[in-house]
Amino acid sequence: MEHDLSPSALAELRRPRPYPAVSVLTPTHRRDPLSTEDAVRLRTMVAEAKKRLESDPAVPRDRRADVAAQLDRALAEVDLAHAEDGLAIFAAPGEHQVWSLARSVPERVVLSDTFLTRNLVSAQTAERPFWVLSVAANRASLWSGGPDRVVEERAGGFPLIREEPNFDPERQMRAGDQPSNYRDEDTRRFLKEAATALTSLVRAHPRPLYVTGEPAALSLLCEFGGACKDAVQVPRGGLAHGTPEMVWQAVQPVLEEQDRKRAEEVARELESARSRKEFAAGVDELWQSAREGRIRLLAVEENYRITVRDDGEHLVVAEDDDLDAREDIVDEIVEQCLETGADVRFVPDGALGDAQGMAAVLRY
């Protein structure tokens, strides 16, 4: 299952396909006992997609069989033991993909000439993924972080390991890296290699970056420039050989402090926008402003969801089972804002007060 929505991956997903490009969305659960229901729900949704293919006169028989087979292959690849909060299956003639999302999605089957990507974009933005590079004199480890964990990432050449005949990593783990290690020319070359590899990876997969290590190592990384120069430093050694839990415990306080500062900054910007009459709130007004490209900053509470329907002139609140109900309007607004270059920030639930889940600063 795919998880990391890089700019290149998103561009590929948005590429037009021969009709039909099928998108199947379903909510999932991270833990039992509800995960047993996910398998039933997923099979039901795939069956619904096949039924839609069968009843669509615009789909030739050979193409219908091809896409149905792609759906079966995608279903076989789903690993619900590692499910998050949502799942997206994409299938088109000759191809299929399975994406895991860290944000719930509505049950939905869509046949079009492109895949439905807005839920992926919203989930990626809300999750606020980040990179952590942990360096020692003989190892550079890369970690992929999300809202509540980090996992080691084996990509871009990482982990980088420096082999030396007389190097004793166990001693380094016990004693910590000594500053003298970082005056050694071979160590400098090793860290420069790590900084270069990281810069290439962040260019392809942009995320906020944190670097951990002894102060001498962090000083060198800044010296080499690239992505490391603008990274947030966490002066803690021993994590290049550490566990995901150790890395998470080191970066979590830094993340929480940055989240607090960002929420305060958003509150100040919204209050200032009110005084300038550049403030907008309410799903109908925000949807109109997003489509017109007028939103400069969109603030969304982390778990805010609302179902609406279009009455012909405005969006009005609706029930999930109403005809033409749009359960993912928040995700639509988020993606539309990102498309027009707006800054989208997710804040803790309740942080927006009377704005009721979502508010914006307008460009004009």
Side-chain angles (χ1 to χ4, degrees), residues 39 96 170 180 310 344:
H96 67 271
E170 291 187 2
S180 59
D310 192 337
V344 177

Side-chain angles (χ1 to χ4, degrees), residues 155-193:
F158 291 99
L160 292 176
I161 300 172
R162 175 185 170 199
E163 300 291 347
E164 286 193 291
N166 299 318
F167 209 88
D168 183 356
E170 291 187 2
R171 181 188 65 80
Q172 292 294 343
M173 290 176 67
R174 291 193 302 269
D177 299 315
Q178 300 301 315
S180 59
N181 288 332
Y182 301 102
R183 290 197 293 267
D184 176 76
E185 190 57 35
D186 287 339
T187 303
R188 291 176 62 88
R189 278 196 294 269
F190 173 72
L191 290 181
K192 185 175 183 180
E193 179 186 354

Side-chain angles (χ1 to χ4, degrees), residues 198-199 202 207-211 218 221-233 258:
L198 184 70
T199 298
V202 171
R207 298 182 184 181
L209 173 64
Y210 300 81
V211 291
L218 300 183
L221 286 172
C222 284
E223 202 176 294
F224 297 137
C228 295
K229 185 176 182 181
D230 299 320
V232 177
Q233 296 188 9
Q258 291 202 317

